[in-house]
Amino acid sequence: DTYVDAHTTANADGELRGQVVVGADVAATGPWLAELRGSNVVPVVLTSASGYAIVDVTDEGTLSYTVIVAGIGNVTSAQLRSG
């Protein structure tokens, strides 16, 4: 499983998390989406923040991702993880 999470000073283990979803109609190189919510974090984080990530592979074979969040403060990192 591949997911994206966003960490904050208030939630160092992650405030938002979203599973990267690969649909049947999506090309093998993406783009793929992840909806970020506090309810996806383990344990669940109660937050009004939300967001999404777009994961893609460029024509040159480089993996890239963009994370867009709202209602969240003091973001310390956003990470793409597998496992």
Side-chain angles (χ1 to χ4, degrees):
D1 293 341
T2 302
Y3 62 94
V4 175
D5 57 7
H7 300 256
T8 63
T9 53
N11 292 288
D13 291 333
E15 184 161 337
L16 299 173
R17 178 177 169 155
Q19 199 73 25
V20 177
V21 177
V22 179
D25 59 340
V26 178
T29 58
W32 307 293
L33 298 177
E35 185 177 2
L36 307 178
R37 298 184 176 274
S39 59
N40 295 334
V41 178
V42 178
V44 169
V45 174
L46 299 177
T47 180
S48 60
S50 63
Y52 64 93
I54 303 166
V55 180
D56 205 355
V57 177
T58 67
D59 291 339
E60 295 79 27
T62 302
L63 179 69
S64 67
Y65 66 100
T66 301
V67 179
I68 300 169
V69 294
I72 192 172
N74 300 316
V75 175
T76 57
S77 68
Q79 302 168 346
L80 176 66
R81 298 179 177 216
S82 182

